[in-house]
């Protein structure tokens, strides 16, 4: 259970980093790529997939 | 100006992303929370849950229903387990058909329709499985969840680098820590699948189960197909069932459970309890890696030109033609084999007799369709309806 919680925290951290990269990126193609990568992280944190 | 354009594109992308996220999230949540109605047949005298046998499982995803069909006449106790792999739908359909129609006239039948319920709340990532499938009944369509071979990572995560089976110490693939047919006999403090196996072992012990039947389906590329796999404690019954059904009704093989292959039901249940275990495999072309479009039609008809082509090249272990392997035949094979097993078990073990009634015949299931044997939950008293 502890490991599971740590993994969710790691997932949330990387999700936040990806979203921050989306905001800061000047290259829209990279920004869209960040969003695509972010999708499974968000679905996992919200326990949907 | 350039900055504005950048933020307009980002805004549009974010809106599309949010739309996809919400719509897919809703679809995933609906699949995970969908409940299948089960009409309790006249033979069902009690519905317990797996948590009644192992308290820590109570209220979890895998606290599945346990249906008790008790004749009241002393005899043997048979445990039937469906959907250990929830991507093998003929197994839970066969188990549910028995709950809705069958009864015991000597001894008891105990049924778990979704043995690993967590696995039925997710489909295999990257394989484009349909989330649901429907069966035509006499009163309309009945909807079922399609699932996966492994428990949902939402319930059991993360996987280890290598799964070390308990208690043998045999090394298995990492994801098989979520595969309930690799976690027998289980342990109380293991993964969800290990705890679920452990709970079933407690059920077998507490209920004095004499024989366990584990239902499966397999791809035609896999050598263990269209067969009975039996623990050494039930070899005589399994061999006789295979011979009689093959000679009189349909071809079904028989194999001996390997002694050194650990974690499987047909090996560990018999080794760690007084109940030998028999595993049944039906052919499911939907699972073949060479299949074409992976949709509900393939799941239900078992018709696929690519799998047929593989057969023409001698790459399959089971025959297939343009008729495929429809769900009605796959369910009928399971139900009829179970009935035959009870008949021969009773002949070999008269002190543990299991006499059943209400099983539809093989021809009835194939000709009328399995949907004919599912009852309309809206027409019965709600205390005779359970949910999976």
């Amino acid at each position: 259970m502890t490991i599971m919680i740590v993994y969710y925290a790691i997932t949330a951290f990387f999700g936040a980093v990806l979203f921050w990269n989306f905001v800061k990126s000047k290259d829209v193609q990279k920004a869209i790529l960040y969003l695509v990568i972010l999708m499974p992280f968000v679905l996992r944190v919200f326990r949907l997939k | 100006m350039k900055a504005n354009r950048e933020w307009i594109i980002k805004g549009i992308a974010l809106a599309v992303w949010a739309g996809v996220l919400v719509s897919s999230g809703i679809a995933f949540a609906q699949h995970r929370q969908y409940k299948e109605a089960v009409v309790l047949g006249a033979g069902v005298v009690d519905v317990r849950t797996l948590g009644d046998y192992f308290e820590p499982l109570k209220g979890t995803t895998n606290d599945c229903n346990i249906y008790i069909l008790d004749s009241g006449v002393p005899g043997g106790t048979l445990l039937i387990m469906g959907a250990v792999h929830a991507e093998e739908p003929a197994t839970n359909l066969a188990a549910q058909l028995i709950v809705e129609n069958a009864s015991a006239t000597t001894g008891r039948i105990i049924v778990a329709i979704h043995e690993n319920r967590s696995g039925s709340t997710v489909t295999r990532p990257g394989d484009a499985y349909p989330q649901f499938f429907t069966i035509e009944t006499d009163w309309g369509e009945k909807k079922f969840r399609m699932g996966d071979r492994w428990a949902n990572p939402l319930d059991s995560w993360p996987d280890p680098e290598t799964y070390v089976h308990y208690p043998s110490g045999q090394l298995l693939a990492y994801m098989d820590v979520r595969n309930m047919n690799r976690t027998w006999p289980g342990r109380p403090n293991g993964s969800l699948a290990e705890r679920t196996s452990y709970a079933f072992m407690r059920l077998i012990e507490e209920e004095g189960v004499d024989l366990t039947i584990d239902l499966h389906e397999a791809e035609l590329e896999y050598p263990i197909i269209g067969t009975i796999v039996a623990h050494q404690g039930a070899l005589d019954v399994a061999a006789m069932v295979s011979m009689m059904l093959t000679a009189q009704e349909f071809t079904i093989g028989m194999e001996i459970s390997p002694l050194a292959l650990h974690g499987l039901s047909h090996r560990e249940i018999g080794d760690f309890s007084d109940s030998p275990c028999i595993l049944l495999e039906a052919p499911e072309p939907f699972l073949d890696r060479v299949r074409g479009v992976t949709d509900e039609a393939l799941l239900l008809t078992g018709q696929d030109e690519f799998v047929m082509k593989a057969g023409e090249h001698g790459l399959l272990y089971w025959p297939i033609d343009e008729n495929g392997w429809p769900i009605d035949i796959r369910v009928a094979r399971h139900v009829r084999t179970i009935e035959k097993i009870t008949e021969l078990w009773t002949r070999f073990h008269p002190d543990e007799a299991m006499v059943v009634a209400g099983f539809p015949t093989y021809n009835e299931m194939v000709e009328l369709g399995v949907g004919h044997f599912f009852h309309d939950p809206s027409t019965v008293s709600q205390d005779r309806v359970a949910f999976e």
Side-chain angles (χ1 to χ4, degrees):
Chain A
M1 180 55 86
T2 307
I3 294 172
M4 197 164 176
I5 291 167
V6 170
Y7 265 72
Y8 272 98
I10 293 170
T11 307
F13 171 76
F14 280 107
V17 168
L18 283 167
F19 189 74
W20 183 243
N21 281 344
F22 164 77
V23 172
K24 297 300 286 181
S25 177
K26 301 289 181 198
D27 182 338
V28 290
Q29 199 170 339
K30 279 188 178 172
I32 291 170
L33 188 61
Y34 286 132
L35 280 184
V36 172
I37 298 167
L38 179 59
M39 183 89 68
F41 286 82
V42 176
L43 288 171
R44 174 53 65 93
V45 168
F46 286 106
R47 293 185 53 77
L48 291 165
K49 183 70 173 178
Chain B
M1 188 65 187
K2 193 182 171 193
N4 276 348
R5 185 174 165 275
E6 174 197 320
W7 276 106
I8 288 169
I9 295 172
K10 277 185 173 180
I12 292 169
L14 193 61
V16 171
W17 178 82
V20 172
L21 185 78
V22 169
S23 61
S24 59
I26 289 171
F28 292 140
Q30 284 176 339
H31 177 247
R32 186 163 162 77
Q33 291 160 15
Y34 181 75
K35 299 204 181 324
E36 300 166 356
V38 179
V39 176
L40 305 181
V44 178
V45 299
D46 195 12
V47 181
R48 298 176 195 165
T49 72
L50 192 57
D52 293 341
Y53 303 93
F54 180 52
E55 184 65 28
L57 217 59
K58 202 79 179 165
T60 67
T61 315
N62 272 11
D63 188 17
C64 64
N65 289 339
I66 302 294
Y67 301 89
I68 313 283
L69 288 69
D70 192 344
S71 66
V73 178
T77 298
L78 170 68
L79 171 63
I80 300 168
M81 304 188 295
V84 59
H85 296 148
E87 61 177 359
E88 298 162 14
T91 65
N92 53 293
L93 293 180
Q96 183 163 342
L97 190 148
I98 288 169
V99 167
E100 295 204 9
N101 296 277
S103 60
T105 55
T106 303
R108 294 187 304 163
I109 309 172
I110 300 175
V111 184
I113 293 175
H114 279 290
E115 182 185 345
N116 181 9
R117 197 159 64 186
S118 173
S120 74
T121 66
V122 65
T123 54
R124 192 179 293 191
D127 267 30
Y129 281 12
Q131 288 187 302
F132 299 96
F133 63 95
T134 52
I135 297 289
E136 290 290 337
T137 71
D138 297 348
W139 42 271
E141 287 187 334
K142 188 169 174 65
K143 187 171 155 185
F144 296 87
R145 291 189 304 273
M146 179 59 178
D148 195 9
R149 180 176 177 84
W150 298 279
N152 193 332
L154 291 179
D155 302 316
S156 180
W157 192 58
D159 296 337
E161 287 291 317
T162 302
Y163 164 43
V164 182
H165 173 259
Y166 176 84
S168 72
Q170 192 164 78
L171 302 183
L172 296 167
Y174 69 96
M175 67 286 197
D176 278 338
V177 77
R178 289 183 280 117
N179 176 354
M180 245 196 85
N181 204 26
R182 296 295 182 278
T183 57
W184 297 98
R187 52 180 160 177
N189 56 351
S191 69
L192 177 69
E194 288 178 304
R195 281 179 279 139
T196 308
S197 296
Y198 180 82
F200 269 100
M201 293 303 290
R202 300 288 72 73
L203 180 158
I204 289 167
E205 188 179 279
E206 202 172 306
E207 297 288 352
V209 171
D210 297 299
L211 177 66
T212 302
I213 297 177
D214 187 15
L215 302 176
H216 286 260
E217 294 195 272
E219 56 270 47
L220 282 63
E221 296 161 283
Y222 183 59
I224 315 298
I225 186 169
T227 194
I228 303 169
V229 186
H231 185 265
Q232 62 269 22
L235 286 183
D236 47 4
V237 173
M240 192 61 86
V241 168
S242 168
M243 283 191 287
M244 290 182 72
L245 286 179
T246 300
Q248 296 166 357
E249 299 181 43
F250 51 83
T251 302
I252 187 164
M254 185 261 167
E255 307 200 16
I256 303 168
S257 170
L259 289 170
L261 187 55
H262 292 287
L264 293 108
S265 59
H266 51 74
R267 167 54 35 217
E268 310 292 3
I269 292 177
D271 283 359
F272 286 88
S273 77
D274 295 330
S275 166
C277 180
I278 289 175
L279 183 147
L280 307 183
E281 290 279 12
E284 185 187 358
F286 181 93
L287 296 178
D288 277 284
R289 305 309 302 173
V290 297
R291 66 181 183 261
V293 177
T294 309
D295 58 5
E296 186 182 355
L298 173 57
L299 181 68
L300 298 178
T301 64
Q303 295 170 350
D304 187 279
E305 58 180 312
F306 296 96
V307 178
M308 271 180 63
K309 183 61 76 178
E312 289 167 17
H313 290 281
L315 298 173
L316 305 180
Y317 292 90
W318 197 252
I320 185 169
D321 59 21
E322 62 281 1
N323 296 316
W325 283 100
I327 192 80
D328 300 324
I329 291 181
R330 285 144 51 196
V331 172
R333 286 177 65 94
H334 276 333
V335 173
R336 178 64 187 132
T337 307
I338 292 169
E339 188 181 22
K340 198 71 179 171
I341 288 172
T342 62
E343 183 186 319
L344 286 158
W345 179 270
T346 301
R347 197 177 299 176
F348 281 91
H349 306 272
D351 51 329
E352 296 168 359
M354 303 163 185
V355 184
V356 299
F359 279 53
T361 67
Y362 179 87
N363 287 339
E364 282 174 339
M365 284 179 274
V366 173
E367 284 163 20
L368 301 173
V370 293
H372 176 75
F373 300 96
F374 290 128
H375 303 288
D376 185 353
S378 67
T379 61
V380 299
S381 166
Q382 286 310 291
D383 62 353
R384 297 300 292 171
V385 179
F387 292 94
E388 289 286 335

